[in-house]
Amino acid sequence: MKFDTSGLESHGQLVGASDGLFNGFPTAPSFEIPNTTDFDCFQKEAIQMVKPAKGTTTLAFIFKEGVMVAADSRASMGGYISSQSVKKIIEINPYMLGTMAGGAADCQFWHRNLGIKCRLHELANKRRISVTGASKLLANILYNYRGMGLSVGTMIAGWDETGPGLYYVDSEGGRLKGMRFSVGSGSPYAYGVLDNGYRYDMSVGEAAELARRSIYHATFRDGASGGVASVYYVGPDGWKKLSGDDVAELHYNYYPVQPSVVEQVMVET
Amino acid sequence: MARYDRAITVFSPDGHLFQVEYALEAVRKGNAAVGVRGTDTIVLGVEKKSTAKLQDSRSVRKIRKIVNLDNHIALACAGLKADARVLINRARIECQSHRLTVEDPVTVEYITRYIAGLQQKYTQSGGVRPFGLSTLIVGFDPYTGIPSLYQTDPSGTFSAWKANATGRNSNSMREFLEKNYKETSGQETVKLAIRALLEVVESGGKNIEVAVMTKDHGLRQLDEAEIDAVVAEIEAEKAAAEAAKKGPPKET
């Protein structure tokens, strides 16, 4: 598969290869089709094999003071927990965050690539790229690789000239603007708690607690989520990590052990 | 010297690219064009050739010299008009492509950089010649609302200006602007641009084409009647100034 160096190329096309209409639209990457009897079935199986279940819980929401982003930190390979300390919130630049769900390598690489593109945009245009623009760049790249086995379910959260911004971008090429998102196998549980407790005018502290609680409840019920619940806040001055609490400890904070009444002691005769 | 002007890709011994300089000559033979930047208005003016008798004047009006690149950006040029068409089409596509990829309109500086980059590319390739035109690009920044005026030339350089002129007799127009430029707004900017153009063009509404760009209303072409009115105002002011000069000494 052709390595995507479009972030490093200059904008122009070769002279002589210009035919007016198609300048500026990059050709999609492609590879040779293998010889099989039933290509459609083969393609479906290949995609199913490569597509890992997005075993994770990440969430983000916009509120009065900015954007709150939170995620767990467990990586699983089937039933095996391969790591409890994965950084699922990726720092694209000092005022933009991306979350990781799906293939870890895919998310990490493409977020770094997006960071490069954002920086190049800043240098060329002497102004920061908007969250809209950054998410659009990522969505366009992922659309190019559609059907080739990338697995990315990410949220781009940031603060730009127009205020807080939050977009959901996935490897099918979809891109949605919204106020609240949760992505991953634990997202139904997180949505339950998040949607119930959400109000637009919360303080930073209240919003952080809501985010932390949502992640905790998702890790409680979903086997593929766990580890540490990290909470980040994105405000006008950029992002700031607020907390990273082990979910096992959070459990005992929320549900402390009741000292039970000692029942009759069995006396040995 | 003649040996070094055949192919574009060859430098002369004293460091010239002759094809680029010849392109600048072509610009100097083109119609005069002037641009003036005010605080809330930007004005572009070009010299209009009179239409031949048999030429369909409606189609000539359609082939305007001052064109829109996007809602908030306009361009006027001097030089080879056919080259202008190609360059303008590419710039228009780039404006829309930018809107598509980052969901934001282009800034004036971005599109100027793109056009200049395109002009430069054609000075560094085999088998092609440079674009024979200089452009004046005006517009308002979509975020800050600040007006800008840029000029590009066949070599691919660009710079920002408060007021500039290109094409035939551009030196006299520029001199006039340097002497008489001050921060203006609204109708004053229009008057300044037309006064500069009248230095080198025959007086009258049918010899000049003027367009005004404002933040709220975009580009608006002035029609002949409006131009004639401003020209009349300018003539009256000139006459009054002449009379004032001649007046007082006679009294002594």
Side-chain angles (χ1 to χ4, degrees), chain A residues 197-215:
Chain A
Y198 176 83
R199 277 173 306 117
Y200 180 71
D201 16 68
M202 287 186 281
S203 67
V204 175
E206 287 173 330
E209 182 52 29
L210 178 63
R212 199 175 304 122
R213 221 172 235 275
S214 309
I215 294 285

Side-chain angles (χ1 to χ4, degrees), chain A residues 48 56 64 67 79 82 97 110-112 134 150 181 211 259:
Chain A
Q48 284 301 103
T56 187
K64 189 182 59 168
V67 197
S82 45
L97 294 173
W110 288 111
H111 279 126
R112 254 177 98 76
L150 281 185
F181 285 113

Side-chain angles (χ1 to χ4, degrees), chain B residues 120-156:
Chain B
Q120 190 279 339
K121 225 188 292 267
Y122 282 70
T123 68
Q124 210 176 8
S125 266
V128 295
R129 63 161 177 81
F131 287 99
L133 67 147
S134 291
T135 66
L136 288 169
I137 300 166
V138 299
F140 288 87
D141 187 307
Y143 315 100
T144 59
I146 296 178
S148 322
L149 165 67
Y150 284 87
Q151 189 211 31
T152 72
D153 61 27
S155 63

Side-chain angles (χ1 to χ4, degrees), chain A residues 13-169:
Chain A
Q13 304 275 333
L14 283 171
V15 177
S18 51
D19 62 348
L21 254 192
F22 295 111
N23 281 313
F25 297 113
T27 50
S30 61
F31 52 84
E32 277 173 39
I33 294 176
N35 286 325
T36 51
T37 41
D38 181 1
F39 180 67
D40 287 319
C41 187
F42 166 78
Q43 199 181 29
K44 196 162 103 172
E45 279 176 26
I47 288 175
Q48 284 301 103
M49 183 199 83
V50 184
K51 185 196 236 181
K54 299 190 176 114
T56 187
T57 312
T58 58
L59 61 85
F61 57 88
I62 293 180
F63 66 112
K64 189 182 59 168
E65 306 280 346
V67 197
M68 203 53 85
V69 184
D72 74 315
S73 69
R74 176 175 291 185
S76 45
M77 283 164 23
Y80 173 68
I81 297 176
S82 45
S83 171
Q84 288 273 64
S85 51
V86 177
K87 272 190 67 159
K88 294 193 188 176
I89 297 182
I90 299 161
E91 297 144 11
I92 298 171
N93 60 41
Y95 54 96
M96 227 186 289
L97 294 173
T99 59
M100 180 198 294
D106 290 340
C107 288
Q108 267 179 9
F109 177 83
W110 288 111
H111 279 126
R112 254 177 98 76
N113 185 285
L114 179 63
I116 294 175
K117 285 216 166 101
C118 289
R119 180 64 181 144
L120 288 174
H121 179 103
E122 242 182 80
L123 287 170
N125 296 294
K126 290 181 221 153
R127 73 186 326 136
R128 284 182 182 167
I129 193 170
S130 59
V131 184
T132 314
S135 60
K136 194 80 185 251
L137 286 178
L138 183 63
N140 287 341
I141 295 170
L142 293 178
Y143 182 77
N144 268 340
Y145 286 93
R146 199 174 129 86
M148 294 193 203
L150 281 185
S151 173
V152 171
T154 183
M155 294 178 283
I156 306 290
W159 188 290
D160 59 29
E161 278 167 355
T162 58
L166 177 61
Y167 285 83
Y168 165 73
V169 178

Side-chain angles (χ1 to χ4, degrees), chain B residues 155-194:
Chain B
S155 63
T157 54
F158 70 93
S159 45
W161 294 78
K162 295 183 198 158
N164 201 358
T166 180
R168 209 200 324 261
N169 296 325
S170 56
N171 283 332
S172 354
M173 283 195 280
R174 208 172 299 123
E175 259 176 54
F176 174 83
L177 286 168
E178 276 174 20
K179 256 190 266 173
N180 295 293
Y181 179 82
K182 54 184 201 305
E183 286 282 329
T184 51
S185 67
Q187 195 62 0
E188 284 300 312
T189 322
V190 179
K191 245 202 265 184
L192 182 57
I194 295 182

Side-chain angles (χ1 to χ4, degrees), chain B residues 195-242:
Chain B
R195 272 168 68 202
L197 208 44
L198 287 177
E199 290 283 306
V200 303
V201 170
E202 248 179 64
S203 184
K206 56 181 173 50
N207 295 316
I208 54 181
E209 198 178 297
V210 179
V212 180
M213 173 163 263
T214 46
K215 190 151 171 283
D216 304 316
H217 299 114
L219 189 71
R220 191 175 67 89
Q221 305 270 3
L222 298 183
D223 53 23
E224 246 186 74
E226 283 179 277
I227 300 177
D228 277 330
V230 181
V231 168
E233 243 184 87
I234 293 171
E235 307 266 274
E237 276 173 17
K238 251 199 244 176
E242 288 286 319

